[in-house]
Amino acid sequence: MSNWAARELDRPLCRVADLPEGQSVGFDPLDEGRDTMFVVRKGDTVHAWRNLCPHYDRARMAWKKDEFLNGDRSRIMCAAHGALFRIEDGVCEIGPCVGQSLTPVPVRLHDGALWIVGEYAPGFR
């Protein structure tokens, strides 16, 4: 099966215990060679988002591997534009895309692992 088609994954993204509290981690669920999504763990809650800024189509957000948060780790930050997004709902509060939102990735926790719910589409090439 091609990596360039949407599909359901047959493996979890990771163990929840491997996600550092209050930090972000990027993932490449379809083995495309780059992180097309990321998660942020806040306590027992995990928030998952596509790695795309709504301000400019195809802009990746991390300034380096697994760094999707601002300095005090209170918001998601787009390194390309400086936009700041709420972790809980992905809404931009500061920057060029105020009021726009990140694209959520539906996930579920099962037996200590984090799974994507439904099909996952490839990132932009």
Side-chain angles (χ1 to χ4, degrees):
M1 175 178 282
S2 167
N3 282 352
W4 315 121
R7 67 178 194 267
E8 288 193 32
L9 279 86
D10 59 0
R11 66 186 188 282
L13 287 173
C14 65
R15 305 287 306 160
V16 175
D18 294 335
L19 294 172
E21 162 64 30
Q23 307 237 0
S24 56
V25 178
F27 290 96
D28 179 13
L30 299 180
D31 299 319
E32 297 177 70
R34 60 189 164 77
D35 292 337
T36 58
M37 66 168 290
F38 64 96
V39 300
V40 180
R41 180 177 173 195
K42 297 288 255 177
D44 293 333
T45 305
V46 175
H47 305 277
W49 307 101
R50 291 302 299 239
N51 184 11
L52 295 170
C53 182
H55 171 238
Y56 181 73
D57 193 23
R58 297 181 171 94
R60 295 184 199 139
M61 304 203 25
W63 63 276
K64 72 176 189 177
K65 177 71 176 143
D66 297 331
E67 291 295 340
F68 294 89
L69 302 177
N70 63 344
D72 69 4
R73 304 201 173 283
S74 63
R75 292 186 178 92
I76 297 165
M77 182 180 80
C78 176
H81 309 110
L84 294 176
F85 303 84
R86 292 190 301 245
I87 293 169
E88 298 76 25
D89 61 10
V91 173
C92 181
E93 295 183 308
I94 299 170
C97 50
V98 169
Q100 292 180 301
S101 297
L102 298 174
T103 302
V105 176
V107 293
R108 69 181 171 94
L109 303 175
H110 179 70
D111 289 337
L114 184 66
W115 292 82
I116 292 177
V117 175
E119 290 190 338
Y120 185 80
F124 292 112
R125 299 223 31 89

